[in-house]
Amino acid sequence: MRNQGKEMYEFGPFRLDPGKRVLLRDNQPVPLQLKAFETLLVLVRNSEQVVLKDDLMKSVWPDTFVEESNLAQHIFVLRKILGESAREYRYIITIPGRGYRFAVKVRVVSEEESLVVEAHSRSRMVIEEKHWLHGVRRPVGAMAIAMALVGGVLYWRSHRAPKLTERDSIVIADFANTTGDTVFDGTLRQGLSAQLDQSPFLNLLSDQRVAQTLSLMA
């Protein structure tokens, strides 16, 4: 794996930030588990090259023995997140009997260039947010206030109680959208998941893991 320091990678509408361990789509964070992120990072850093399955697993799980099915599961999740269909694999191509290849062209972005783009994007987001908030319905504002209060309570409790360990896992349930506007279906849960998934003290169970557990429990 090539060491690119503080550089980031762009492909299509996505940006991969190794330093912050976050995947962005159109400057919006995409919820992604750590091992899935590391799998994508290895493929992106070796774009247009075949990465053998054994090499990929050694890079993602250097000190742990895992079965090939673990890797296949992360590849499945990545393809779903990248918007690939079962009939067309645009980003991640399977090389039968060997491994995988990240097929699209990847652009390396320096930290300085990223800061300029981010500053411009934030300015634009502030302007758009003001127009959006001006016409937003009161129930949405109430939900935002409630989420802010919950965040404040969690912040206060985190400074008076012992920090969580890597074994502490949480599950996020669905939000009930009472605004009547379908544009908010799933967006609150997705945004909260993206923020919590970046915490070093929380292990956020994925939807796939929850579905598998419920299936085993019948």
Side-chain angles (χ1 to χ4, degrees):
M1 185 189 303
R2 293 171 293 176
N3 184 11
Q4 299 293 342
K6 296 184 179 180
E7 294 176 334
M8 284 158 280
Y9 308 92
E10 289 184 347
F11 51 93
F14 298 95
R15 168 176 289 192
L16 197 64
D17 188 337
K20 297 181 180 179
R21 293 185 177 274
V22 63
L23 174 66
L24 303 175
R25 180 188 178 99
D26 296 327
N27 291 326
Q28 297 299 320
V30 179
L32 193 61
Q33 287 187 329
L34 178 59
K35 292 303 181 182
F37 177 90
E38 293 178 350
T39 302
L40 179 60
L41 181 60
V42 174
L43 293 174
V44 167
R45 282 179 168 171
N46 295 275
S47 63
E48 302 181 286
Q49 301 179 28
V50 178
V51 181
L52 301 180
K53 293 180 181 180
D54 289 341
D55 295 338
L56 188 53
M57 288 190 291
K58 289 178 182 178
S59 297
V60 179
W61 294 276
D63 303 319
T64 306
F65 173 79
V66 295
E67 297 182 355
E68 189 175 314
S69 58
N70 293 60
L71 177 61
Q73 179 180 352
H74 287 306
I75 294 295
F76 173 81
V77 172
L78 289 175
R79 282 173 170 163
K80 185 177 180 180
I81 288 177
L82 296 176
E84 296 187 336
S85 64
R87 297 182 178 180
E88 181 182 4
Y89 293 152
R90 176 187 175 190
Y91 292 99
I92 303 175
I93 296 179
T94 301
I95 309 300
R98 300 185 63 192
Y100 302 94
R101 177 170 63 90
F102 199 78
V104 300
K105 187 73 174 180
V106 176
R107 177 172 175 259
V108 180
V109 182
S110 64
E111 184 179 23
E112 291 77 10
E113 182 179 356
S114 175
L115 290 175
V116 174
V117 175
E118 184 177 353
H120 175 73
S121 300
R122 286 183 177 179
S123 299
R124 182 177 179 180
M125 288 175 62
V126 169
I127 296 175
E128 292 178 351
E129 184 178 354
K130 288 181 178 179
H131 289 285
W132 180 80
L133 288 175
H134 179 71
V136 75
R137 299 181 179 183
R138 288 186 177 180
V140 178
M143 284 191 295
I145 294 175
M147 291 180 64
L149 291 175
V150 172
V153 172
L154 292 176
Y155 178 82
W156 174 73
R157 293 189 64 180
S158 66
H159 283 69
R160 60 184 293 269
K163 292 185 177 180
L164 299 174
T165 66
E166 294 181 357
R167 295 184 178 180
D168 292 306
S169 302
I170 61 173
V171 178
I172 297 183
D174 292 328
F175 285 89
N177 181 15
T178 60
T179 66
D181 195 340
T182 58
V183 73
F184 297 107
D185 288 345
T187 55
L188 292 177
R189 184 178 184 275
Q190 183 179 6
L192 183 59
S193 298
Q195 293 297 322
L196 293 179
D197 199 38
Q198 300 181 39
S199 171
F201 308 116
L202 297 177
N203 177 30
L204 186 61
L205 264 63
S206 65
D207 293 341
Q208 185 176 7
R209 180 69 180 278
V210 173
Q212 290 176 347
T213 304
L214 293 177
S215 178
L216 292 175
M217 296 173 61

